[in-house]
Each structure stands twice: as C-alpha cells, then as structure tokens.
Amino acid sequence: MATKLLVNRLNRRITFQKQDGFTINDEGISVPNWVDHVTVWASRRPLRGREFFAAAAVNAENTVRYEIRYRPGITPDMRLLDSGRTYSISAVLEDVYGDRTQTHVMALEELRNG
C-alpha cells in the first residue's frame, strides 16, 4: 500500500535548476550557468536502514531523499537548492507508487570551495 504524502510534511521550499550553457570566468575556466527550472514544496527525509548503509558504502554520507508531489521532467542532470545548500541529483524516482502522487529525489550535498 502506498504511503500518503501528507501536505503538512511538505515544509521545505526547494528549487530545481538546470544547466544553460557555460561561461568563461576571469581565470579562463569554463563555469556552468544554472537557471531556475521550478520551485516546489518538499519533504526532506533521512535515509534509514538499507538505504543509509548503501549510501555510506560509497562514501555518500550527505545523501538526502526529498519527496515532492508527482512532477515529470526532473532529471539527474539538474541540481537542487535547499536553504542555501546545493545538492546534485543522483537519482529521480518518478511515480514511486504508480498512482502519480509522488516523486522521490535522491541528492548529494555538493562541497563548497574555500
């Protein structure tokens, strides 16, 4: 049986961004341009049990699962922003329960330079 996505748990505002070409910075390095794709409400869920150990096995301690309302068009080549942190998307599980209610996004926190 599918677990319902409760509206009161959608308590985080996240933004999905997609890459739109490259720019060359002052040092001559090619830097990707990121533009906002969509902003949605999400629930941030910790990994437990098998998911946690599978993530830890690949040294991905900062892996987080976000649950959003069903939304096609989210792809792993995008990234997401949550409370000033940037996450790269490692997997998108569309239509998790086959009823077009939920999409789950597995994301890894990107390290900042400096």
Side-chain angles (χ1 to χ4, degrees), residues 1 8 10 15 50 56 63 69-70 76 80 88 92 94-95 101 109 114:
M1 180 172 169
N8 62 340
L10 299 176
T15 301
R50 186 181 305 168
T63 301
R69 290 187 178 109
Y70 174 73
L80 69 87
S88 59
V92 178
E94 285 188 8
D95 199 15
T101 58
E109 185 173 5

Side-chain angles (χ1 to χ4, degrees), residues 13-71:
R13 200 75 171 143
I14 63 172
T15 301
F16 290 97
Q17 293 184 325
K18 60 182 176 178
Q19 190 174 340
D20 184 31
F22 290 89
T23 302
I24 302 207
N25 67 8
D26 297 336
E27 298 161 354
I29 299 171
S30 181
V31 179
N33 293 330
W34 293 98
V35 295
D36 291 351
H37 177 65
V38 67
T39 301
V40 297
W41 288 100
S43 170
R44 181 178 169 163
R45 307 289 295 215
L47 299 182
R48 291 187 226 153
R50 186 181 305 168
E51 290 175 322
F52 175 77
F53 291 112
V58 294
N59 296 324
E61 291 83 18
N62 294 336
T63 301
V64 180
R65 178 179 59 215
Y66 287 92
E67 297 175 359
I68 62 173
R69 290 187 178 109
Y70 174 73
R71 181 165 205 96

